[in-house]
Amino acid sequence: MTTQQLDSIPKAHLDLGVTGMTCTSCASRVQRKLNKLDGVDASVNFSTETASVDYNPETTDRDALVQVVRDAGYDAFAMNANDDAVAQDTDDAGDQAAGFSAVDKAREEEQAKLKRTVIWSAILTVPIVALSMIPALQFTYWQWAVFTLTTLVYVVAGAPFHRATLTNLRHGGVTMDTLISLGTTAAYVWSVWALFIGNAGEPGMTMEMHPFDWGGHAGDHGMDEIYLETVAVVITFLLLGRWFETKAKGRSSQALRDLASMGAKEAAVIRDGQEVRIPASRIAVGDRFVVRPGEKIATDGTVISGASSVDNSMITGESVPVEVTEGDHVTGATVNQTGRLIVEATRVGADTTLSRMSELVRQAQAGQAPVERLVDRISRVFVPAVIVISLITLGAHLALGHETTTAFSAAVAVLIIACPCALGLATPTAILVGTGRGAQMGLLIKGPEILESTRKVDTIVLDKTGTVTSGTMAVDAIEPAAGFSADDVLRLAASVEVDSEHPIARAIVTEASTKGLSLIDGQAFTSTPGHGVQATVDGKEIIVGRNAHESLADTIAGFERDGATAVAVSIDGEPAGVISVRDTIKPTSGQAIEEFRSLGLTPYLLTGDNAGAATWAARQVGIDENNVMASVMPEDKVTVVEKLQAEGKTVAMVGDGVNDAAALATADLGLAMGSGTDVAIEASDITLMGGDLQSAASAIRLSRSTLRIIKGNLFWAFAYNVLLIPVAASGLLNPMFAGIAMAFSSVFVVTNSLRLNRFK
């Protein structure tokens, strides 16, 4: 089969839980091994301990993928299997929740094991350090007691580092574990040599340890010195750091697990007129199900009967409940609060809003930002380079005539202090926490590379209808003719329009209802396209439409110059007044424009509507009228975005409709309203589930905050290595303290990333 034929076969998707990875270099190795298979496109995330794999089912099966991971020295298990054959019978969110439960279980087992190891290792390390530091405690054969305790720590507690090193060496690679294992092994072997062959094992030997000293100990006694306290402290503190990292990874991926598990478990489906409770995963499109107050809505659907308020906060991040009635769309996993609803399912399984949200977040967390790929490349070169630096350090000290203990201590300190664990954790932990926090707020960032785009954006182009405005018509003004009141005009017009579904008619009827006006039953209702509607109301012929009496022409023209739609109302051929209707501005749009400006973005309004409507909307929210582009056809929206880009601007586009999709894809950063069309959402980089323009500003702020955290992490990780490697190489840093510093640098990076959980 040719490559072209292979590429034409639809790919299946598999999520794997991967255990045994100890650093990002391990994740990179597993990823490279998987991608060597024909037709496989894999991304392995160390922070989530998962692999996202797209594969060709004609050439590769799931068992083969798992075996590749095992052959690389790690273990793996299938979290889900979203190929076509499985997806038909599988609830994607439930399947994903089960997969995360498996990962959580493996992580919890690892945490428990690490905790036990850290505790007993620390209990042994305390007397090891005390005896090594304090000569007054050093009894006749103290060194042999220290040797016995340290051997337990080195062999048993240090086994994960040694095992990983051997596995990596078998595959011709070196990782951060290699530096740890080499450093502790060198210190342990030196001590064994000094004890059994040198003079360190003699009765009555005493030793004093200093944190900053040539050779790490007072005096130059050659084979009298041992480094067992270094071995114990380095292993114990690194295990402690790894335990903190494991706990932090569980916390940072909590949002994704919450998404995967928040759906309803059961639904009361109507079958043959009876309510039958079935698992929510078995609901089919077209099924009708009952949702009582306090229950979760089982899947996406349309309200067939009933009215209620629905808490959408878990999907949109908005705390205010939304009123729904017949014909309104509702989203699975949201909570029905007040009334009984009957809902007809329109989306199920992997097509639901909840499943798509989970998938978008998973993709974002599984991917790699450009800066992270750079760090991975640096790490692959960095580890061998450090080993070379350590050897050069050893040779340089010996060449300068320093004692062997001094040279050896400096070389070991270089190995330990240079371990780039913090460097490898700097980016993925921040991405994990940032995208997870975004999901909690209803902000779905599709991929980590989006973070770079938000940093560069300086121009934001906004669609008008459905983005800046609500897309819902409302009465803006009423101008009655002489002898009539505004309420008279509105009551008569609403009495005629009450049975019409036209947006203008709905706006008039809604306004009358809001004002508490009682409507009059009409008769002989007729509608003439392009002219309006008429009916007999209370014995009078009422006409509502565009054909106005000459005396109302100026009033209508004035409203329309301002971008409104105006209709005339006449009674028995005599003018009664004019009603102005226009799209309504979303309550937070003006504040969103202010936030865009505070972020350094210049707002533009782009719409297919007429110039009057566009200018009015721009004035309402504070957009410069010179930055308004009206009467733009859908195909021309792309041209507008490209023109701005050609002027040197980095453009973000916010839209919600099918006609915005091409422009969203063309922009440097596309943001789609979650209340908009699927096409727009698929074409965008960030989805705003709340449908609120202000959330676009929040998405940009969150992305930029995440990028700042990443840069801060990288700075401290690089600064730590750059500053302390020369100190260690000069022999001024005891290997034990090098290990402590290295462990705490990793904990700092993870803790710094977790600050994003407080983003608001």
Side-chain angles (χ1 to χ4, degrees), residues 17 102 137 217 330 341 350 355 362 374 458 493 669 717:
L137 298 178
H217 299 84
V330 290
L341 298 175
S355 290
R362 186 197 62 77
L374 174 62
D458 55 25
L669 178 69

mmCIF file with all atom_site columns, all heavy atoms in Angstrom, residues 17 102 137 217 330 341 350 355 362 374 458 493 669 717:
data_model
loop_
_atom_site.group_PDB
_atom_site.id
_atom_site.type_symbol
_atom_site.label_atom_id
_atom_site.label_alt_id
_atom_site.label_comp_id
_atom_site.label_asym_id
_atom_site.label_entity_id
_atom_site.label_seq_id
_atom_site.pdbx_PDB_ins_code
_atom_site.Cartn_x
_atom_site.Cartn_y
_atom_site.Cartn_z
_atom_site.occupancy
_atom_site.B_iso_or_equiv
_atom_site.pdbx_formal_charge
_atom_site.auth_seq_id
_atom_site.auth_comp_id
_atom_site.auth_asym_id
_atom_site.auth_atom_id
_atom_site.pdbx_PDB_model_num
ATOM 1  N N   . GLY A 1 17  ? -2.791  5.861  29.090 1.00 0.00 ? 17  GLY A N   1
ATOM 2  C CA  . GLY A 1 17  ? -2.172  6.270  30.339 1.00 0.00 ? 17  GLY A CA  1
ATOM 3  C C   . GLY A 1 17  ? -0.777  5.673  30.361 1.00 0.00 ? 17  GLY A C   1
ATOM 4  O O   . GLY A 1 17  ? -0.598  4.490  30.088 1.00 0.00 ? 17  GLY A O   1
ATOM 5  N N   . ALA A 1 102 ? -8.503  5.690  35.793 1.00 0.00 ? 102 ALA A N   1
ATOM 6  C CA  . ALA A 1 102 ? -7.376  4.749  35.753 1.00 0.00 ? 102 ALA A CA  1
ATOM 7  C C   . ALA A 1 102 ? -6.059  5.476  35.964 1.00 0.00 ? 102 ALA A C   1
ATOM 8  O O   . ALA A 1 102 ? -5.174  5.005  36.688 1.00 0.00 ? 102 ALA A O   1
ATOM 9  C CB  . ALA A 1 102 ? -7.371  4.005  34.414 1.00 0.00 ? 102 ALA A CB  1
ATOM 10 N N   . LEU A 1 137 ? 29.220  13.184 67.934 1.00 0.00 ? 137 LEU A N   1
ATOM 11 C CA  . LEU A 1 137 ? 28.338  12.018 67.866 1.00 0.00 ? 137 LEU A CA  1
ATOM 12 C C   . LEU A 1 137 ? 29.028  10.799 67.244 1.00 0.00 ? 137 LEU A C   1
ATOM 13 O O   . LEU A 1 137 ? 28.428  9.722  67.178 1.00 0.00 ? 137 LEU A O   1
ATOM 14 C CB  . LEU A 1 137 ? 27.076  12.358 67.056 1.00 0.00 ? 137 LEU A CB  1
ATOM 15 C CG  . LEU A 1 137 ? 26.161  13.458 67.606 1.00 0.00 ? 137 LEU A CG  1
ATOM 16 C CD1 . LEU A 1 137 ? 24.991  13.690 66.646 1.00 0.00 ? 137 LEU A CD1 1
ATOM 17 C CD2 . LEU A 1 137 ? 25.653  13.095 68.991 1.00 0.00 ? 137 LEU A CD2 1
ATOM 18 N N   . HIS A 1 217 ? 34.540  18.816 52.697 1.00 0.00 ? 217 HIS A N   1
ATOM 19 C CA  . HIS A 1 217 ? 34.862  18.424 54.062 1.00 0.00 ? 217 HIS A CA  1
ATOM 20 C C   . HIS A 1 217 ? 36.116  19.179 54.499 1.00 0.00 ? 217 HIS A C   1
ATOM 21 O O   . HIS A 1 217 ? 36.925  19.594 53.679 1.00 0.00 ? 217 HIS A O   1
ATOM 22 C CB  . HIS A 1 217 ? 35.115  16.924 54.161 1.00 0.00 ? 217 HIS A CB  1
ATOM 23 C CG  . HIS A 1 217 ? 33.932  16.106 53.762 1.00 0.00 ? 217 HIS A CG  1
ATOM 24 N ND1 . HIS A 1 217 ? 33.657  15.795 52.469 1.00 0.00 ? 217 HIS A ND1 1
ATOM 25 C CD2 . HIS A 1 217 ? 32.953  15.544 54.509 1.00 0.00 ? 217 HIS A CD2 1
ATOM 26 C CE1 . HIS A 1 217 ? 32.547  15.066 52.395 1.00 0.00 ? 217 HIS A CE1 1
ATOM 27 N NE2 . HIS A 1 217 ? 32.103  14.895 53.641 1.00 0.00 ? 217 HIS A NE2 1
ATOM 28 N N   . VAL A 1 330 ? -30.929 23.611 25.227 1.00 0.00 ? 330 VAL A N   1
ATOM 29 C CA  . VAL A 1 330 ? -30.305 23.384 26.534 1.00 0.00 ? 330 VAL A CA  1
ATOM 30 C C   . VAL A 1 330 ? -29.094 22.472 26.349 1.00 0.00 ? 330 VAL A C   1
ATOM 31 O O   . VAL A 1 330 ? -29.016 21.695 25.389 1.00 0.00 ? 330 VAL A O   1
ATOM 32 C CB  . VAL A 1 330 ? -31.293 22.758 27.544 1.00 0.00 ? 330 VAL A CB  1
ATOM 33 C CG1 . VAL A 1 330 ? -32.346 23.759 27.950 1.00 0.00 ? 330 VAL A CG1 1
ATOM 34 C CG2 . VAL A 1 330 ? -31.932 21.489 26.986 1.00 0.00 ? 330 VAL A CG2 1
ATOM 35 N N   . LEU A 1 341 ? -39.098 20.026 32.740 1.00 0.00 ? 341 LEU A N   1
ATOM 36 C CA  . LEU A 1 341 ? -38.863 20.168 31.304 1.00 0.00 ? 341 LEU A CA  1
ATOM 37 C C   . LEU A 1 341 ? -38.951 18.822 30.603 1.00 0.00 ? 341 LEU A C   1
ATOM 38 O O   . LEU A 1 341 ? -38.571 17.795 31.173 1.00 0.00 ? 341 LEU A O   1
ATOM 39 C CB  . LEU A 1 341 ? -37.472 20.764 31.033 1.00 0.00 ? 341 LEU A CB  1
ATOM 40 C CG  . LEU A 1 341 ? -37.162 22.167 31.564 1.00 0.00 ? 341 LEU A CG  1
ATOM 41 C CD1 . LEU A 1 341 ? -35.696 22.514 31.288 1.00 0.00 ? 341 LEU A CD1 1
ATOM 42 C CD2 . LEU A 1 341 ? -38.082 23.202 30.939 1.00 0.00 ? 341 LEU A CD2 1
ATOM 43 N N   . ALA A 1 350 ? -20.117 11.717 21.682 1.00 0.00 ? 350 ALA A N   1
ATOM 44 C CA  . ALA A 1 350 ? -18.969 12.577 21.398 1.00 0.00 ? 350 ALA A CA  1
ATOM 45 C C   . ALA A 1 350 ? -19.353 13.908 20.779 1.00 0.00 ? 350 ALA A C   1
ATOM 46 O O   . ALA A 1 350 ? -18.533 14.816 20.701 1.00 0.00 ? 350 ALA A O   1
ATOM 47 C CB  . ALA A 1 350 ? -17.986 11.850 20.477 1.00 0.00 ? 350 ALA A CB  1
ATOM 48 N N   . SER A 1 355 ? -18.668 16.839 25.749 1.00 0.00 ? 355 SER A N   1
ATOM 49 C CA  . SER A 1 355 ? -17.620 15.989 25.184 1.00 0.00 ? 355 SER A CA  1
ATOM 50 C C   . SER A 1 355 ? -16.657 16.797 24.336 1.00 0.00 ? 355 SER A C   1
ATOM 51 O O   . SER A 1 355 ? -15.440 16.584 24.369 1.00 0.00 ? 355 SER A O   1
ATOM 52 C CB  . SER A 1 355 ? -18.238 14.868 24.338 1.00 0.00 ? 355 SER A CB  1
ATOM 53 O OG  . SER A 1 355 ? -18.905 13.939 25.154 1.00 0.00 ? 355 SER A OG  1
ATOM 54 N N   . ARG A 1 362 ? -8.378  18.517 26.379 1.00 0.00 ? 362 ARG A N   1
ATOM 55 C CA  . ARG A 1 362 ? -7.396  17.426 26.314 1.00 0.00 ? 362 ARG A CA  1
ATOM 56 C C   . ARG A 1 362 ? -6.363  17.697 25.223 1.00 0.00 ? 362 ARG A C   1
ATOM 57 O O   . ARG A 1 362 ? -5.167  17.499 25.417 1.00 0.00 ? 362 ARG A O   1
ATOM 58 C CB  . ARG A 1 362 ? -8.112  16.094 26.031 1.00 0.00 ? 362 ARG A CB  1
ATOM 59 C CG  . ARG A 1 362 ? -7.190  14.885 26.083 1.00 0.00 ? 362 ARG A CG  1
ATOM 60 C CD  . ARG A 1 362 ? -7.808  13.691 25.405 1.00 0.00 ? 362 ARG A CD  1
ATOM 61 N NE  . ARG A 1 362 ? -8.058  13.945 23.992 1.00 0.00 ? 362 ARG A NE  1
ATOM 62 C CZ  . ARG A 1 362 ? -7.112  13.942 23.054 1.00 0.00 ? 362 ARG A CZ  1
ATOM 63 N NH1 . ARG A 1 362 ? -5.852  13.703 23.381 1.00 0.00 ? 362 ARG A NH1 1
ATOM 64 N NH2 . ARG A 1 362 ? -7.409  14.194 21.803 1.00 0.00 ? 362 ARG A NH2 1
ATOM 65 N N   . LEU A 1 374 ? 11.308  23.616 22.285 1.00 0.00 ? 374 LEU A N   1
ATOM 66 C CA  . LEU A 1 374 ? 12.683  24.116 22.363 1.00 0.00 ? 374 LEU A CA  1
ATOM 67 C C   . LEU A 1 374 ? 13.370  23.581 23.616 1.00 0.00 ? 374 LEU A C   1
ATOM 68 O O   . LEU A 1 374 ? 14.519  23.144 23.571 1.00 0.00 ? 374 LEU A O   1
ATOM 69 C CB  . LEU A 1 374 ? 12.664  25.650 22.382 1.00 0.00 ? 374 LEU A CB  1
ATOM 70 C CG  . LEU A 1 374 ? 14.017  26.338 22.604 1.00 0.00 ? 374 LEU A CG  1
ATOM 71 C CD1 . LEU A 1 374 ? 14.973  25.993 21.469 1.00 0.00 ? 374 LEU A CD1 1
ATOM 72 C CD2 . LEU A 1 374 ? 13.837  27.849 22.728 1.00 0.00 ? 374 LEU A CD2 1
ATOM 73 N N   . ASP A 1 458 ? -2.308  42.728 18.558 1.00 0.00 ? 458 ASP A N   1
ATOM 74 C CA  . ASP A 1 458 ? -2.450  44.157 18.860 1.00 0.00 ? 458 ASP A CA  1
ATOM 75 C C   . ASP A 1 458 ? -3.732  44.747 18.280 1.00 0.00 ? 458 ASP A C   1
ATOM 76 O O   . ASP A 1 458 ? -4.042  45.912 18.495 1.00 0.00 ? 458 ASP A O   1
ATOM 77 C CB  . ASP A 1 458 ? -1.237  44.952 18.352 1.00 0.00 ? 458 ASP A CB  1
ATOM 78 C CG  . ASP A 1 458 ? -0.970  44.728 16.868 1.00 0.00 ? 458 ASP A CG  1
ATOM 79 O OD1 . ASP A 1 458 ? -1.918  44.386 16.127 1.00 0.00 ? 458 ASP A OD1 1
ATOM 80 O OD2 . ASP A 1 458 ? 0.191   44.879 16.450 1.00 0.00 ? 458 ASP A OD2 1
ATOM 81 N N   . ALA A 1 493 ? -50.267 47.457 17.680 1.00 0.00 ? 493 ALA A N   1
ATOM 82 C CA  . ALA A 1 493 ? -49.303 46.733 16.843 1.00 0.00 ? 493 ALA A CA  1
ATOM 83 C C   . ALA A 1 493 ? -49.082 45.318 17.367 1.00 0.00 ? 493 ALA A C   1
ATOM 84 O O   . ALA A 1 493 ? -49.034 44.353 16.601 1.00 0.00 ? 493 ALA A O   1
ATOM 85 C CB  . ALA A 1 493 ? -47.977 47.490 16.799 1.00 0.00 ? 493 ALA A CB  1
ATOM 86 N N   . LEU A 1 669 ? -5.367  35.019 15.586 1.00 0.00 ? 669 LEU A N   1
ATOM 87 C CA  . LEU A 1 669 ? -6.015  34.405 16.745 1.00 0.00 ? 669 LEU A CA  1
ATOM 88 C C   . LEU A 1 669 ? -7.514  34.491 16.526 1.00 0.00 ? 669 LEU A C   1
ATOM 89 O O   . LEU A 1 669 ? -8.066  35.574 16.375 1.00 0.00 ? 669 LEU A O   1
ATOM 90 C CB  . LEU A 1 669 ? -5.628  35.148 18.034 1.00 0.00 ? 669 LEU A CB  1
ATOM 91 C CG  . LEU A 1 669 ? -6.273  34.646 19.324 1.00 0.00 ? 669 LEU A CG  1
ATOM 92 C CD1 . LEU A 1 669 ? -5.723  33.264 19.683 1.00 0.00 ? 669 LEU A CD1 1
ATOM 93 C CD2 . LEU A 1 669 ? -6.029  35.622 20.471 1.00 0.00 ? 669 LEU A CD2 1
ATOM 94 N N   . ALA A 1 717 ? 14.546  28.407 36.201 1.00 0.00 ? 717 ALA A N   1
ATOM 95 C CA  . ALA A 1 717 ? 15.191  27.113 35.938 1.00 0.00 ? 717 ALA A CA  1
ATOM 96 C C   . ALA A 1 717 ? 16.546  27.313 35.264 1.00 0.00 ? 717 ALA A C   1
ATOM 97 O O   . ALA A 1 717 ? 17.555  26.715 35.654 1.00 0.00 ? 717 ALA A O   1
ATOM 98 C CB  . ALA A 1 717 ? 14.279  26.251 35.072 1.00 0.00 ? 717 ALA A CB  1
#
